[in-house]
Amino acid sequence: MATDPMGKLFSGLTAITGQTFMGTLFGPTPGMDPATVLDRLVNSPSTIAKAVAFVKEAQSVPPTSLDADTRLLLQHALHAVNTNGGPVGRPDLLLSGIADVAVKATIRPGDTSHKAGYLEFFRWLAMGKKDEEAPDKKHPVTNETIDHAHLPKNPDAHKCAGCGHTDSRMMICTGCLLRTDGHTTFVTAYCSKVCQTAHWKKHKTACKGQQRFQRAASTFQAVFYLFMEYISDPSGQRTKISEENGVLCVDSITSDMELGLGYRGDSVLSRMFALLGTTAPSEEARRAALMTEGCAEIMGTALSLFELLIRPTITSLEKIRVTPRNVHKPTRESKGPSGLVNYTTLWDHFILGATIPGGQRVILDFSAPQFGWAEYIAPAEHYIKHRVATIRETTREPFLGNPMLDMQQLMDPTSAIVNKKRREAAESLAATLKSHMVRSLGGYDKLLNAKGDEFKTAQEALIKKAESALEAYLRSFQQGHLYRFYLSAELAILVVDDGELYGKLKKVWYSKDKYEKLKGTPAVLRRVYLHRYRKAVGN
């Protein structure tokens, strides 16, 4: 009798979520949003128990009796149940694995089984929760392609800011107009010159505030992307960037390659893409690969840059945790061909909500490229309406520390040191840019208030200064003796921050040539290293 371990797994998950997923997305619990479904699966200890049962049944039969989908899910389920060193496991890895299977699977039309329902649901999640593809709704057959790379046209473009009259042909205030790739993002429209003149006294503060904010945001965006490229954690290096079936596939270094950082004594800071000579099929793909972790960086390691460049143009700020929807191009992260997989579209995304002078609410989303989105700032209501599935949490200033992040850094002191060094690099860059603006421009306000061409010239000079400063900082840091990776006697990846220990480790680390010769024989590589380590450092 044929076995169907995947079908049994999905039937078991039904008991956790209360969702049937048979033919419709929302079965016995109408209105339950996708984030709640994932929360129930991630937070229930039964999820890993179901995964363990799936693994046992799938491994109890010959591999040839399993279909390709089940074999792929087995690979992901093994990661989920074995990660974290035991029975606790990682439910999120199981769900990411289901999403990976769903994207690659062929679902038969009319199939109303648990398996088909779950795969259809997780494919929709992984591919970006596009409204026109939601599996719980019927959609008209159309050949029209919806552009999710850009927000729909701002409705304010057809509404007079003075009298409220709507018309398809309006006059536009060019002072606060912002277009992204020809698409209107920010606009203030008027039905006549009379309305515009009468409304100017009220609009003046908002117009100037909007212009300053847009200039600050474009400056921060350019500087932030440079920072993310030049001051990166080597353990997050991208080894391959490609596109497959509408998905951006980003491979990071494997565990073996990560150990190589310690074998060679590599610096804890490196330039993204440069370490391995990684290329991307397009500039958009390159930026997306760079920004997959960007949403957590802005108020973390890059906070000093935000405070210098954005803070002067806003009157209030809040952090907003959301689940994204209408993603243009999803990103799939993985560690090697058979390693851990993550679809960023499944999980929470952090954005910033701000108020600018004049009272307008705006969203800042500088990591938007990971979803293929062109706009990184937008009117709050317009952004949320089209790009947010669920608002999970809103935190207003003053922001407190992140207890989960603090716990992770306590458990992983190596990452804590790397993040500290990256934060110090950002602070150094902020000080350099501030000094440049005072010396060359008379201060940041002068830059933001400059006339059009003068602003562009000054902004280009500032960005060029940022890049040269980052190059110099990284070169000086990498030439230093301290803050290099090494492997302990237990082959744990640690960081040397002591001059005496550095002197001993110089006798232990492999040269790049020696490492390349030995990496094909891991047992020899490990044995020779540990012999050197115990001789120079001890146990």
Side-chain angles (χ1 to χ4, degrees), residues 205-220 305-317 354-360 362 364 366 377 444-445 447-449 455:
T205 299
C207 184
K208 192 66 177 178
Q210 181 65 253
Q211 186 179 100
R212 284 167 54 87
F213 169 71
Q214 292 173 14
R215 289 178 166 188
S218 66
T219 304
F220 177 81
L305 296 172
F306 181 90
E307 292 293 333
L308 174 69
L309 299 174
I310 297 291
R311 178 69 71 175
T313 67
I314 61 177
T315 59
S316 70
L317 183 69
T355 305
I356 59 178
Q360 185 173 12
V362 295
L364 302 90
F366 293 105
I377 55 172
Y444 192 37
D445 270 350
L447 172 67
L448 296 179
N449 295 329
F455 167 74

Side-chain angles (χ1 to χ4, degrees), residues 44-361:
S44 172
S46 298
T47 300
I48 285 297
K50 303 295 183 186
V52 170
F54 163 77
V55 168
K56 287 181 178 179
E57 181 172 358
Q59 289 183 327
S60 68
V61 299
T64 52
S65 67
L66 301 175
D67 61 27
D69 295 340
T70 304
R71 290 196 299 271
L72 179 57
L73 185 56
L74 174 60
Q75 174 184 306
H76 291 308
L78 285 168
H79 285 306
V81 301
N82 292 325
T83 300
N84 284 358
V88 176
R90 289 275 301 277
D92 60 312
L93 296 182
L94 176 67
L95 303 185
S96 291
I98 294 173
D100 194 43
V101 172
V103 169
K104 300 171 181 177
T106 300
I107 304 172
R108 297 192 310 274
D111 189 340
T112 59
S113 65
H114 285 296
K115 177 179 176 180
Y118 262 79
L119 291 179
E120 185 180 12
F121 172 61
F122 272 88
R123 175 184 291 173
W124 177 64
L125 292 181
M127 295 303 291
K129 297 191 282 291
K130 295 179 178 65
D131 291 345
E132 71 274 15
E133 297 175 0
D136 62 324
K137 300 181 178 69
K138 291 184 178 180
H139 306 285
V141 177
T142 176
N143 293 324
E144 181 182 356
T145 300
I146 298 177
D147 175 23
H148 289 300
H150 301 89
L151 286 165
K153 190 171 184 179
N154 191 326
D156 290 343
H158 300 303
K159 182 178 180 180
C160 179
C163 67
H165 174 72
T166 58
D167 199 331
S168 59
R169 300 178 63 183
M170 306 288 279
M171 298 178 62
I172 301 297
C173 173
T174 57
C176 54
L177 174 66
L178 177 65
R179 287 194 173 102
T180 307
D181 303 330
H183 296 256
T184 301
T185 306
F186 287 99
V187 61
T188 304
Y190 296 98
C191 63
S192 67
K193 189 69 175 177
V194 173
C195 261
Q196 185 175 17
T197 302
H199 191 250
W200 174 244
K201 186 175 181 180
K202 182 177 181 181
H203 178 58
K204 183 178 180 180
T205 299
C207 184
K208 192 66 177 178
Q210 181 65 253
Q211 186 179 100
R212 284 167 54 87
F213 169 71
Q214 292 173 14
R215 289 178 166 188
S218 66
T219 304
F220 177 81
Q221 179 214 33
V223 171
F224 180 57
Y225 286 170
L226 286 172
F227 170 76
M228 291 292 287
E229 177 176 346
Y230 277 90
I231 310 296
S232 74
D233 178 353
S235 65
Q237 282 285 328
R238 311 313 193 195
T239 59
K240 183 180 178 182
I241 305 170
S242 59
E243 295 184 23
E244 182 181 333
N245 299 323
V247 177
L248 179 70
C249 303
V250 180
D251 289 354
S252 298
I253 66 175
T254 62
S255 299
D256 288 342
M257 295 172 71
E258 200 168 342
L259 287 174
L261 301 172
Y263 278 128
R264 297 186 302 265
D266 287 1
S267 170
V268 301
L269 298 183
S270 69
R271 182 175 176 179
M272 183 63 78
F273 311 124
L275 187 65
L276 302 171
T278 307
T279 59
S282 66
E283 179 60 25
E284 290 75 14
R286 188 174 185 273
R287 286 203 167 190
L290 186 65
M291 298 309 298
T292 51
E293 305 295 333
C295 60
E297 298 278 357
I298 295 172
M299 302 307 288
T301 53
L303 179 59
S304 56
L305 296 172
F306 181 90
E307 292 293 333
L308 174 69
L309 299 174
I310 297 291
R311 178 69 71 175
T313 67
I314 61 177
T315 59
S316 70
L317 183 69
E318 58 190 19
K319 291 193 293 187
I320 308 173
R321 182 164 61 95
V322 304
T323 52
R325 87 177 204 275
N326 288 323
V327 167
H328 175 62
K329 184 172 290 184
T331 298
R332 172 189 184 270
E333 299 177 291
S334 64
K335 279 186 172 289
S338 61
L340 306 181
V341 166
N342 175 48
Y343 282 83
T344 60
T345 43
L346 263 66
W347 312 112
D348 291 345
H349 176 55
F350 286 89
I351 57 179
L352 296 172
T355 305
I356 59 178
Q360 185 173 12
R361 297 284 299 146

Side-chain angles (χ1 to χ4, degrees), residues 413-427:
T414 297
S415 293
I417 292 174
V418 175
N419 286 334
K420 180 183 178 183
K421 293 296 129 184
R422 296 185 68 232
R423 185 168 59 251
E424 289 174 358
E427 291 167 353

